Amino acid sequence: MTNQFSPEIPASTWNRPIGLGWDKPYTVRYPSNIDDGPWHGMPLGGFGAGCIGRSSRGDFNLWHIDGGEHIFKNVSACQFSVFESHGTSSQAYALSTQPPEDGTLSAWQWYLGTELRVGKMPTPQENTGTYHALYPRSWFVYENVFQAQLSCEQFSPVWAGNYQETSYPVAVFVWKAHNPTDAPITLSIMLTWENMVGWFTNALKSPQVQIRDDGSPVYEYQPRWGESQGNYNQLIDNTQQVGCVLGRVASNASVQEGDGTWCITTRKHPQVEIFHHTRWNPTGTGEEVWQSFAVDGSLPNYLDVNPAAENTQIGAALAVRFTLQPGESLEVPFVLAWDFPVTEFAAGINYYRRYTDFFGRSGQNAEAIATLSLKEYQNWRSQIQSWQKPILDREDLPSWFKMALFNELYDLTSGGTLWSAASELDPIGQFAVLECLDYRWYESLDVRLYGSFALLMLFPELEKSVIRAFARAIPHSDDHQRIIGYYYTIGAEKTTAARKVAGATPHDLGAPNEHVWEKTNYTCYQDCNLWKDLGSDFVLQVYRDFLLTGAGDVEFLADCWDGIVQTLDYLKSFDQDGDGIPENSGAPDQTFDDWRLQGVSAYCGGLWLAALESAIAICDILTNRPDAENAEELRAQRSIYEGWLEKSRPVYEEKLWNGQYYRLDSESGSDVVMADQLCGQFYARLLGLPDIVKCDRALSALKTVYDACFLKFFDGKFGAANGVRPDGVPENPNATHPLEVWTGINFGLAAFLVQMGMQDEALRLTEAVVQQIYDNGLQFRTPEAITTTGTFRASTYLRPMAIWAIYLLKDLPNS
């Protein structure tokens, strides 16, 4: 604890008055998709450790403790509260503006939220405080309620290049209090927490997979919510700290998913008194803790370690009381840690989490994690600041861009993230992030072509572990026939297809109800074996990850080489007319999987050309290894790719260039301007490869995209639509994907604009999309798509982390 009041909140935060609602937040486009509403805050927790979220109204409401599963629910008993006595008056508030809706905790007094006045932001005098977020830190600054100046900083130890603490299941809360008055102030800060051990696992061990109305496969998730029988709370009291461990009576069986402990703790200090209550009823009135707390900021120091009976829930509480003299300040840390070491996929398929490499696998280590955190939190905060400072100090980056750049990293924590314990094959474990909460499968390759830039730039070894998992999966096959959901949605006859064809690059690494990393291609909306972009996406990401991590990890290229050869051979088999370029089939067979492309397409064809160039470059690197035993084979392969490339390049121009931009495809006759038509050219330039199209044509096409898809599409208010006619008008007003603004595609397009010297245009486009996200209640649940009618689709999406590609391109010499 230090005696200095200084919130040290960076200028570039997303911020909102505490408790201020939204007039017209974006709502979900399809009823079956998840719409939690706008009350999302920055998540707390390490990668793959499970996470929690606390919104700008102060409630803890996001519970991603079970790997890959989503629970959004305000748990009112999990809360900070503040008591203040100033002279003859006192007050106490639970610091959420959202009281329980079920009548529980009726004895508590809840914080005063900032009232929403439609069309009018509150004045400083009306504001009861401000919430700030700049991932991985967030702050509550309380105003106009307490006499003392109060703030609470929240963070987890996440910073770039850190492969240890970033995995820890912990949240640190640093309270800073200052007395600006001329009289003493007594304050007490209380943390209450419910014992939720055992809740976070699926009670349905083998849920049946269904196809819902949007064609996506789903399964039922039934957490053991509220099942607390056998749970107990135990006091920690030693020379350094006071806290409570929230556990469950152990069975004789090995640790299963949902088994483990929570811990809340704070540090002892000569200036403070610490009180506790180890067992109170969170489903009652809450008077056991509130009665004494509201009077003088104390708790009764009640001890009860008896396990909870059936249909009983229990909570624990800590309170820290201190008096500040005029002008005096104090910093008070609280830590919340949890230890749930097992993630279970299908019944009996268990993985240990990465943090268990440092704390063991017993599930009894929440106290050890919390104790370490109290010791190290100031160092951790300093590490985060040192990582972010060079970016935050840059004057060439607008404040809103810095805000979004860091805050879009939230998905690495709350995107159902998996990070397994280390093994001989995977020395830092295996890693995966969901495509999104609605499409609940991992690391969709077409999506991460854009969205993986953040992981690549900040945690390159995790990025390469994902690509290695795809390389291992390419040779595998799975003949199981599945219904293709797209045809279900359009009312066509039932169509089935094999799950995975040998040689095809899988679309994804599997889902949390099966066996991630081993059983791939979970999605069945389309037959992904027919997609014309996945193989190219894989090759491009292999070479990108090699180059942008220093171009020294030749072993990584060697690990992926067989997969490259197999997938390019497989993809070439779709070149039906022998012109060198695989054709699109007329079914949606690429990342825009509601959009039919026919013949040679600008999008898939360009990726193919860039992938061939990458494969040739990889051949050269592997051939020149001193120990290259397969040099002749590599030279032969290189010759094949050169032949395909030489044949393909003129065909791409002849069939698609129309004098101004590249046609959508060669056979549909459409004049649509596709926003992402030259993704392949973007990647070729990024990787220092020969241009796949002439520079002047690329620039002409890019300017046409900017004008038609962005400026002429609702006056540039929303961002760039995926595809409209040159005048900005839809080809088909009832189309889905062409008329959506895809957040991640827009950030990718902005990176291309930077690459081509159009920096001002890039920032204008990016700002429009960032405003749509952060002004309309989509923060910390960024969707794949927004529409001009105020709806969204597919929240907590992977692709928007492509904003890091913009930052990357602004720093590259050729940009």
Side-chain angles (χ1 to χ4, degrees):
M1 301 186 186
T2 58
N3 291 320
Q4 183 179 5
F5 181 80
S6 177
E8 298 176 351
I9 300 174
S12 302
T13 65
W14 179 78
N15 55 80
R16 192 166 184 84
I18 294 173
L20 179 66
W22 282 259
D23 181 19
K24 291 182 179 179
Y26 270 77
T27 55
V28 78
R29 182 172 189 176
Y30 297 114
S32 65
N33 281 196
I34 293 170
D35 189 353
D36 298 320
W39 292 106
H40 274 262
M42 194 205 75
L44 295 159
F47 294 1
C51 75
I52 58 176
R54 190 182 183 200
S55 82
S56 57
R57 63 186 178 192
D59 58 324
F60 288 91
N61 57 14
L62 181 73
W63 307 95
H64 284 186
I65 302 298
D66 184 354
E69 309 298 351
H70 174 64
I71 300 173
F72 187 81
K73 181 181 178 69
N74 177 9
V75 181
S76 300
C78 297
Q79 190 53 254
F80 277 103
S81 302
V82 166
F83 164 87
E84 180 186 66
S85 175
H86 182 262
T88 59
S89 65
S90 65
Q91 56 184 337
Y93 293 102
L95 295 179
S96 169
T97 65
Q98 180 66 25
E101 297 177 352
D102 58 4
T104 59
L105 307 184
S106 57
W108 294 19
Q109 181 74 28
W110 297 87
Y111 196 66
L112 308 171
T114 304
E115 184 181 350
L116 173 63
R117 292 167 174 81
V118 176
K120 177 180 178 291
M121 290 298 285
T123 65
Q125 293 73 30
E126 296 170 326
N127 193 6
T128 62
T130 305
Y131 171 78
H132 299 262
L134 188 73
Y135 180 89
R137 298 197 292 162
S138 55
W139 299 260
F140 286 88
V141 180
Y142 299 94
E143 302 169 71
N144 299 323
V145 174
F146 301 110
Q147 294 292 318
Q149 294 176 349
L150 275 176
S151 70
C152 178
E153 178 183 359
Q154 315 171 142
F155 65 91
S156 297
V158 173
W159 63 87
N162 169 25
Y163 297 94
Q164 180 167 332
E165 288 87 349
T166 295
S167 73
Y168 288 1
V170 66
V172 178
F173 303 88
V174 182
W175 283 87
K176 292 186 179 181
H178 174 72
N179 181 357
T181 73
D182 56 5
I185 296 176
T186 296
L187 290 164
S188 183
I189 303 169
M190 177 171 68
L191 173 58
T192 52
W193 206 258
E194 181 153 4
N195 187 329
M196 296 179 281
V197 173
W199 293 17
F200 299 102
T201 185
N202 199 347
L204 297 174
K205 288 300 181 185
S206 297
Q208 189 70 32
V209 177
Q210 306 288 338
I211 303 296
R212 66 182 177 200
D213 60 356
D214 68 353
S216 300
V218 295
Y219 60 91
E220 188 176 356
Y221 177 63
Q222 287 186 8
R224 298 188 180 275
W225 195 262
E227 295 184 19
S228 298
Q229 184 175 2
N231 288 7
Y232 66 89
N233 301 334
Q234 188 168 19
L235 183 70
I236 308 166
D237 189 349
N238 56 43
T239 58
Q240 300 297 318
Q241 70 196 75
V242 177
C244 287
V245 171
L246 288 59
R248 171 172 281 190
V249 176
S251 68
N252 293 326
S254 59
V255 177
Q256 302 296 310
E257 182 179 73
D259 293 344
T261 47
W262 297 85
C263 180
I264 57 173
T265 190
T266 187
R267 180 189 291 172
K268 286 185 174 179
H269 185 274
Q271 199 171 336
V272 308
E273 299 173 272
I274 304 175
F275 303 92
H276 62 263
H277 194 308
T278 67
R279 180 171 173 151
W280 59 277
N281 178 14
T283 63
T285 65
E287 62 184 4
E288 310 101 303
V289 292
W290 202 259
Q291 190 173 41
S292 57
F293 183 76
V295 171
D296 61 9
S298 71
L299 292 172
N301 290 337
Y302 179 76
L303 288 170
D304 185 346
V305 297
N306 289 313
E310 189 176 3
N311 299 321
T312 301
Q313 294 171 220
I314 59 173
L318 293 177
V320 176
R321 187 173 69 184
F322 52 94
T323 297
L324 296 178
Q325 299 302 318
E328 191 175 13
S329 302
L330 192 66
E331 179 177 293
V332 180
F334 285 83
V335 168
L336 168 70
W338 55 96
D339 179 15
F340 298 99
V342 173
T343 295
E344 182 180 47
F345 300 144
I349 298 177
N350 295 324
Y351 276 73
Y352 288 105
R353 289 172 154 154
R354 166 64 170 173
Y355 75 86
T356 64
D357 289 337
F358 314 108
F359 289 101
R361 299 176 173 183
S362 68
Q364 303 301 308
N365 292 301
E367 179 183 352
I369 297 167
T371 299
L372 178 71
S373 302
L374 279 179
K375 180 182 177 182
E376 294 291 336
Y377 79 89
Q378 289 169 318
N379 175 48
W380 292 348
R381 180 172 53 191
S382 177
Q383 294 278 5
I384 295 168
Q385 290 170 326
S386 297
W387 159 45
Q388 293 186 333
K389 188 177 188 301
I391 298 175
L392 295 178
D393 286 349
R394 284 182 57 164
E395 296 182 358
D396 63 321
L397 300 177
S399 182
W400 58 263
F401 180 81
K402 299 174 202 174
M403 179 279 295
L405 187 71
F406 284 111
N407 280 334
E408 286 303 319
L409 297 176
Y410 81 95
D411 196 42
L412 293 174
T413 292
S414 66
T417 311
L418 305 175
W419 189 358
S420 70
S423 67
E424 188 174 347
L425 184 61
D426 297 289
I428 59 163
Q430 291 188 278
F431 187 82
V433 178
L434 292 173
E435 178 174 332
C436 68
L437 295 178
D438 285 300
Y439 313 148
R440 202 168 299 178
W441 40 87
Y442 281 98
E443 294 292 349
S444 300
L445 192 67
D446 56 314
V447 175
R448 74 181 324 279
L449 181 71
Y450 311 76
S452 60
F453 276 93
L455 193 65
L456 168 65
M457 295 168 67
L458 303 175
F459 299 93
E461 294 307 313
L462 294 181
E463 164 63 23
K464 287 190 281 190
S465 79
V466 175
I467 294 301
R468 281 189 170 97
F470 276 101
R472 294 169 190 167
I474 287 171
H476 293 179
S477 63
D478 184 342
D479 295 334
H480 175 67
Q481 293 286 311
R482 298 183 302 169
I483 295 174
I484 302 304
Y486 170 75
Y487 297 99
Y488 171 86
T489 65
I490 64 174
E493 286 187 22
K494 184 172 76 171
T495 300
T496 64
R499 177 163 179 157
K500 170 71 172 69
V501 175
T505 299
H507 169 272
D508 56 78
L509 293 178
N513 66 314
E514 290 190 342
H515 192 173
V516 184
W517 302 300
E518 297 296 327
K519 198 169 177 62
T520 61
N521 263 5
Y522 184 82
T523 183
C524 60
Y525 180 63
Q526 297 287 0
D527 179 1
C528 295
N529 298 295
L530 302 179
W531 278 27
K532 309 309 187 299
D533 53 352
L534 294 175
S536 300
D537 293 346
F538 171 71
V539 178
L540 290 170
Q541 288 177 69
V542 170
Y543 191 48
R544 180 201 65 180
D545 292 358
F546 169 77
L547 279 184
L548 297 186
T549 57
D553 191 356
V554 179
E555 193 63 35
F556 170 69
L557 293 182
D559 289 345
C560 298
W561 177 246
D562 286 347
I564 289 171
V565 173
Q566 290 178 50
T567 200
L568 288 178
D569 282 348
Y570 179 84
L571 190 52
K572 183 64 168 61
S573 70
F574 293 104
D575 176 17
Q576 300 295 319
D577 59 5
D579 65 359
I581 303 181
E583 290 88 30
N584 293 90
S585 65
D589 56 2
Q590 23 65 45
T591 196
F592 304 94
D593 55 2
D594 264 357
W595 201 353
R596 294 170 176 262
L597 306 181
Q598 300 178 42
V600 174
S601 68
Y603 180 71
C604 295
L607 291 173
W608 168 252
L609 293 173
L612 290 177
E613 290 187 344
S614 296
I616 291 168
I618 293 170
C619 278
D620 291 340
I621 295 166
L622 293 177
T623 302
N624 292 327
R625 283 187 303 171
D627 58 345
E629 297 179 356
N630 59 340
E632 287 303 317
E633 179 184 327
L634 286 164
R635 279 190 278 270
Q637 203 65 53
R638 186 189 197 281
S639 178
I640 292 171
Y641 297 150
E642 281 186 318
W644 291 353
L645 181 62
E646 185 179 354
K647 197 170 189 180
S648 299
R649 197 186 298 276
V651 170
Y652 189 82
E653 293 292 329
E654 292 163 9
K655 291 192 174 182
L656 299 174
W657 177 247
N658 70 0
Q660 183 182 356
Y661 60 94
Y662 287 85
R663 297 183 183 90
L664 179 68
D665 58 39
S666 62
E667 294 183 12
S668 69
S670 172
D671 65 348
V672 159
V673 179
M674 186 185 198
D676 208 21
Q677 59 184 266
L678 286 181
C679 184
Q681 167 66 10
F682 165 76
Y683 254 91
R685 279 216 157 186
L686 175 70
L687 304 182
L689 299 167
D691 286 338
I692 64 168
V693 300
K694 293 179 180 178
C695 184
D696 60 335
R697 292 187 175 186
L699 198 56
S700 173
L702 195 53
K703 289 178 177 178
T704 303
V705 167
Y706 185 79
D707 181 62
C709 298
F710 177 47
L711 296 181
K712 290 178 179 174
F713 185 72
F714 288 82
D715 298 320
K717 176 183 176 183
F718 294 93
N722 280 327
V724 291
R725 287 181 163 145
D727 58 3
V729 173
E731 181 182 48
N732 173 9
N734 298 317
T736 52
H737 288 184
L739 301 184
E740 289 179 330
V741 173
W742 285 11
T743 53
I745 294 293
N746 271 252
F747 294 154
L749 177 59
F752 191 15
L753 288 165
V754 172
Q755 188 185 65
M756 296 298 289
M758 300 171 68
Q759 300 240 11
D760 292 343
E761 292 86 347
L763 287 178
R764 181 176 175 184
L765 172 63
T766 306
E767 185 175 18
V769 178
V770 167
Q771 284 181 341
Q772 291 301 316
I773 296 166
Y774 288 91
D775 291 352
N776 292 289
L778 296 175
Q779 74 290 335
F780 305 110
R781 56 172 186 150
T782 307
E784 157 80 314
I786 61 174
T787 73
T788 58
T789 58
T791 64
F792 71 89
R793 181 174 58 79
S795 65
T796 316
Y797 207 75
L798 172 62
R799 193 158 10 209
M801 282 189 288
I803 194 170
W804 279 83
I806 304 172
Y807 177 70
L808 171 68
L809 265 296
K810 286 183 72 66
D811 274 358
L812 288 181
N814 64 348
S815 300

